[in-house]
Amino acid sequence: MIEQLNLEDWAWQLSTEAYRLNLYSHLTRQAEPNRSSVTEAELAEAIRDSFTQVNEAAYREMVRLATDAALETYDRVVSSTVKRSRVQLCS
């Protein structure tokens, strides 16, 4: 049970980072492939700056895309970990 909780926490942490990176990239229009995280201050600044440059519909679409990316990340992490666990159990 503890391993399952640790997996879920880890998957949510990765998903949160995926969300933050994705939203930051959309807001700043900068893709940095080697970047692994965004600070709260950087994301907050990007959100503040976007209010003068992006309309509400575009902002909602960016949030939707970031949310989809985060959920996809969560699904991938959990699926691959479950598959690896099953292979280990069968071995």
Side-chain angles (χ1 to χ4, degrees):
M1 181 69 165
I2 291 174
E3 286 178 10
Q4 182 179 355
L5 292 174
N6 289 338
L7 167 62
E8 190 170 340
D9 287 345
W10 180 62
W12 279 120
Q13 288 170 359
L14 288 175
S15 299
T16 300
E17 282 304 320
Y19 175 84
R20 293 162 58 96
L21 281 166
N22 195 292
L23 184 57
Y24 180 80
S25 293
H26 283 294
L27 291 170
T28 61
R29 295 184 180 106
Q30 296 176 358
E32 299 178 39
N34 294 328
R35 188 168 190 163
S36 62
S37 66
V38 174
T39 67
E40 286 193 33
E42 290 172 316
L43 186 57
E45 182 180 349
I47 291 169
R48 272 193 308 278
D49 291 347
S50 74
F51 283 132
T52 59
Q53 301 168 6
V54 177
N55 66 37
E56 187 177 339
Y59 182 76
R60 271 193 248 130
E61 180 65 11
M62 289 178 198
V63 169
R64 186 190 67 74
L65 291 170
T67 301
D68 289 349
L71 292 173
E72 184 178 330
T73 299
Y74 180 85
D75 288 343
R76 285 184 188 180
V77 168
V78 171
S79 294
S80 66
T81 305
V82 167
K83 285 178 186 175
R84 273 189 267 136
S85 294
R86 287 182 180 155
V87 167
Q88 289 175 350
L89 287 174
C90 292
S91 299

